[in-house]
Amino acid sequence: QPYLVKVAIDRHIQPGNLAGLDRIALAFLAILFASFSLEFLQTWMLQTTGQRIMFDMRLQIYRHLQELDVQFYDRNPVGRLMTRVTTDVDVLNDLFTAGVVSIFGDVFMLAGIMIVLVVMDWRLALVAFSVLPLIAVVTQWFRRNARESYRVVRTLIARINAFLQEHITGMSTVQLFRQERRIFGQFNDINRRHRDANVDSIFYYAVFYPAIEIIGALAAALIIWFGGGWTIRGTLTLGSLVAFLQYSQRFFRPISDMSEKFNVLQAAMASSERIFKLLDTPVKIGAGQPLEPRHTVGRGLQARPERPSTGSIAFEDVSFAYNGTDYVLRNVSFDVAPGERVGIVGATGAGKSTLINLLLRFYDTTSGRILVGGVDVRAMGLQQLRDKFSLVLQDVHLFSGTIASNIRLGTAAITDEQVRAAARAVHADRFIGELPQGYEHPVAERGATLSVGQKQLLSFARALAFDPEILVLDEATSSVDTETELTIRDALKVLMAGRTTLAIAHRLSTIQDMDKILVMHHGELREAGTHQELLARRGIYYKLYQLQFKDQELLSR
């Protein structure tokens, strides 16, 4: 368009020749229409591509999060991970839609304008280009400072999300102990640091943008000074001078726009560092793979032949340390036959729950091995292994949805009749029938509207509906009242029938009729036998039984 203005001034307006001026005006309008059409297409394509990239990236991040081991989640707050999937991905979307491609477009625009200026008049082009070193200095200053500022901003927004997730989830505890003022002070501190980090980034932006404007104005002044003189002397046409001024404005406009694009770029760099750090986190508990033959295990225990026995469990000289040095299990060995019911007892910290974590491969053993159905669990695919189990925990996690969806957990193969049959078998249908919408009754987040006992009964129904080979109960009755425990005890008889069962319990009354009881103490298996056999030995189990019996006597009084 500036070149058309040059032609119009030099060939038509200045000589007073209006013939052909209408064609130039039509060409000008055609260029405007073409520019509108191309910018529309570019915007549509970029925004659509950005949305698809964001969609794929969130899927990739979430898929990776599902594959990461439990140990990773023990070290990383949920709010911080939510920031990676939401806010950080949004920032990268801005990079794709308004950053990278637009910067390439600006670079080509600048290169094209420079070529046109040199062709029109190389002397005046050098005058216009004389300010480029100033632009390079200012841009380098902005880039160096803004990137660090945005890195701090992304870190602090992750801390805000983690803080909110933790304290909103635990709001009842905060209010119960009257900690609102202290918690508010902590949030105020994090929020203030986030604000200050943003203000720092705004400062660099506020300096950079007007600095580019001033440099652009300086270039225009130099063009007018030198170009005006050459026009008066007749060595430069008036049209060329006007075109130079218009090109100079177009030349510095992309550079000015780059200040905002640098904002997007720097924020995206900070977010991408955090996203790719997450994606590069190795999956420690991966899919099963063939293991090399072993002649000895642990302390020289002779390795047993692989036994293709469905539902059997064998711990062979298993030791484990969460941090690599502090062992919570030491050389634990025991066998569970198919269909056998085994109780596991011991004081807090004895290593009971760690046995379950290793059995389900939430962690891998430090030494020794675990066999399920005669196969080393590390040689099995995670889905193949965990399909054999149903795990019922003390702290039941329910999802937003309905009663039926929390029993079925999205498994289409479990029919409505199977859901109802499982609920009836564990006596959960009693309270479900009293709900306004029955099995379609909505469940709030984490099952907040249900009692602990009701949630526990739903977890039993869920376990039964999946019909596992092996049932694992981890303190499944420790949080319920005595009446509910009696109901659950009846449900357990149905649940354990024909299944291999491992039951961790503090209440010895719940595991007295087990086929075998294992007694853990300080990470070691100290005793094993039936309830009567262990009492006769008068060892650790006998002491635990005596303590609980005395507690019950005191409570009954």
Side-chain angles (χ1 to χ4, degrees):
Q1 291 142 316
Y3 187 79
L4 291 179
V5 172
K6 171 187 178 303
V7 173
I9 292 175
D10 290 343
R11 297 182 185 178
H12 300 280
I13 297 175
Q14 198 171 24
N17 179 18
L18 299 181
L21 195 60
D22 54 347
R23 291 195 300 272
I24 294 177
L26 289 175
F28 198 96
L29 290 174
I31 290 174
L32 287 177
F33 178 77
S35 176
F36 168 82
S37 301
L38 291 174
E39 285 196 21
F40 170 81
L41 289 174
Q42 174 178 310
T43 301
W44 175 264
M45 292 174 64
L46 285 180
Q47 293 292 338
T48 304
T49 303
Q51 291 298 320
R52 291 176 177 172
I53 290 172
M54 190 163 55
F55 174 82
D56 291 341
M57 184 166 287
R58 283 204 173 108
L59 286 181
Q60 184 177 356
I61 295 172
Y62 190 70
R63 183 183 296 113
H64 188 64
L65 287 173
Q66 287 185 311
E67 295 172 351
L68 290 171
D69 53 282
V70 174
Q71 188 175 2
F72 172 83
Y73 294 98
D74 292 340
R75 301 191 308 265
N76 292 275
V78 175
R80 184 183 300 170
L81 300 178
M82 290 173 59
T83 303
R84 302 293 176 273
V85 184
T86 55
T87 312
D88 285 334
V89 174
D90 284 334
V91 173
L92 286 187
N93 175 57
D94 294 337
L95 170 67
F96 291 118
T97 57
V100 172
V101 177
S102 298
I103 289 176
F104 276 111
D106 292 338
V107 169
F108 284 116
M109 177 70 74
L110 292 174
I113 291 176
M114 292 175 71
I115 292 172
V116 172
L117 292 180
V118 170
V119 171
M120 287 177 58
D121 192 292
W122 65 269
R123 300 169 303 163
L124 202 54
L126 291 179
V127 171
F129 301 156
S130 64
V131 299
L132 291 179
L134 291 176
I135 292 176
V137 170
V138 172
T139 302
Q140 176 64 15
W141 171 83
F142 176 80
R143 184 194 65 81
R144 184 176 62 253
N145 291 281
R147 182 173 185 180
E148 181 60 31
S149 176
Y150 276 107
R151 184 181 289 115
V152 174
V153 169
R154 303 313 310 161
T155 300
L156 289 172
I157 192 62
R159 289 183 184 175
I160 287 177
N161 287 339
F163 185 93
L164 288 174
Q165 191 277 332
E166 180 179 7
H167 288 86
I168 290 176
T169 302
M171 186 58 70
S172 59
T173 304
V174 172
Q175 294 177 349
L176 176 63
F177 290 95
R178 304 300 299 159
Q179 295 296 306
E180 294 93 338
R181 180 173 297 181
R182 182 180 65 84
I183 299 302
F184 181 82
Q186 292 178 359
F187 180 75
N188 179 62
D189 179 64
I190 300 175
N191 196 34
R192 175 175 47 78
R193 289 162 59 193
H194 177 256
R195 179 203 62 195
D196 293 344
N198 272 298
V199 169
D200 289 341
S201 66
I202 292 171
F203 167 77
Y204 300 122
Y205 175 82
V207 172
F208 180 75
Y209 189 83
I212 296 297
E213 291 290 329
I214 291 174
I215 294 173
L218 176 61
L222 292 174
I223 291 173
I224 292 174
W225 176 264
F226 288 97
W230 294 337
T231 301
I232 293 173
R233 297 187 188 99
T235 58
L236 182 72
T237 65
L238 179 61
S240 296
L241 178 60
V242 173
F244 255 92
L245 287 173
Q246 291 184 339
Y247 273 126
S248 68
Q249 292 176 351
R250 291 169 178 262
F251 183 78
F252 288 100
R253 188 182 305 158
I255 296 176
S256 299
D257 291 342
M258 281 186 182
S259 61
E260 184 173 351
K261 291 165 186 174
F262 265 122
N263 275 338
V264 173
L265 182 61
Q266 299 304 327
M269 291 293 289
S271 293
S272 62
E273 286 177 355
R274 304 165 74 82
I275 289 175
F276 293 128
K277 183 179 179 181
L278 172 61
L279 291 175
D280 290 339
T281 302
V283 178
K284 296 182 179 180
I285 309 295
Q289 52 186 348
L291 301 176
E292 296 180 1
R294 297 172 55 177
H295 301 291
T296 59
V297 180
R299 297 174 298 179
L301 180 68
Q302 189 67 28
R304 306 174 188 180
E306 305 295 343
R307 304 178 301 253
S309 180
T310 302
S312 67
I313 299 172
F315 277 64
E316 296 185 349
D317 217 29
V318 171
S319 296
F320 177 73
Y322 283 100
N323 57 9
T325 57
D326 187 14
Y327 279 82
V328 294
L329 289 180
R330 298 178 183 86
N331 308 112
V332 175
S333 297
F334 63 86
D335 290 298
V336 180
E340 189 175 20
R341 301 171 303 158
V342 176
I344 304 175
V345 299
T348 301
K352 304 184 298 297
S353 295
T354 302
L355 292 175
I356 305 305
N357 288 334
L358 296 177
L359 179 62
L360 293 172
R361 281 201 80 197
F362 294 141
Y363 298 87
D364 272 335
T365 60
T366 303
S367 65
R369 66 174 184 170
I370 301 172
L371 306 177
V372 173
V375 180
D376 194 315
V377 294
R378 292 169 297 178
M380 301 171 65
L382 290 179
Q383 183 173 352
Q384 178 191 5
L385 171 66
R386 292 170 184 168
D387 277 348
K388 297 177 180 292
F389 292 86
S390 274
L391 175 62
V392 180
L393 299 171
Q394 174 185 356
D395 184 17
V396 181
H397 188 93
L398 298 181
F399 298 91
S400 300
T402 64
I403 295 290
S405 69
N406 270 280
I407 295 176
R408 185 184 288 113
L409 283 185
T411 303
I414 299 176
T415 65
D416 291 340
E417 181 52 40
Q418 288 174 318
V419 168
R420 289 179 170 83
R424 283 194 301 270
V426 299
H427 308 302
D429 60 325
R430 299 177 184 175
F431 83 87
I432 295 176
E434 297 174 356
L435 297 174
Q437 300 179 48
Y439 287 88
E440 296 306 313
H441 186 78
V443 176
E445 184 181 3
R446 303 186 307 278
T449 57
L450 300 175
S451 70
V452 174
Q454 289 172 336
K455 289 191 288 186
Q456 196 64 266
L457 288 173
L458 285 182
S459 71
F460 280 112
R462 176 191 294 173
L464 184 60
F466 277 82
D467 193 22
E469 294 179 18
I470 303 172
L471 177 66
V472 179
L473 309 172
D474 190 354
E475 307 287 359
T477 62
S478 62
S479 297
V480 298
D481 56 75
T482 305
E483 182 180 355
T484 305
E485 183 185 353
L486 294 175
T487 303
I488 289 177
R489 199 177 297 179
D490 292 337
L492 281 175
K493 294 179 181 178
V494 177
L495 199 58
M496 292 188 295
R499 293 183 176 86
T500 305
T501 302
L502 286 180
I504 295 174
H506 274 305
R507 295 182 182 178
L508 301 185
S509 59
T510 60
I511 49 92
Q512 288 182 12
D513 60 345
M514 292 289 184
D515 300 321
K516 182 166 57 180
I517 299 173
L518 307 177
V519 182
M520 299 295 299
H521 188 66
H522 294 310
E524 297 180 351
L525 177 59
R526 301 292 286 272
E527 298 176 2
T530 64
H531 173 68
Q532 295 298 333
E533 290 172 349
L534 293 175
L535 287 179
R537 294 182 188 177
R538 293 183 172 267
I540 298 174
Y541 183 83
Y542 177 79
K543 293 178 181 178
L544 291 174
Y545 184 80
Q546 289 292 105
L547 288 173
Q548 289 199 13
F549 182 74
K550 289 179 180 179
D551 289 341
Q552 291 174 7
E553 280 189 337
L554 292 173
L555 289 173
S556 63
R557 292 177 185 175

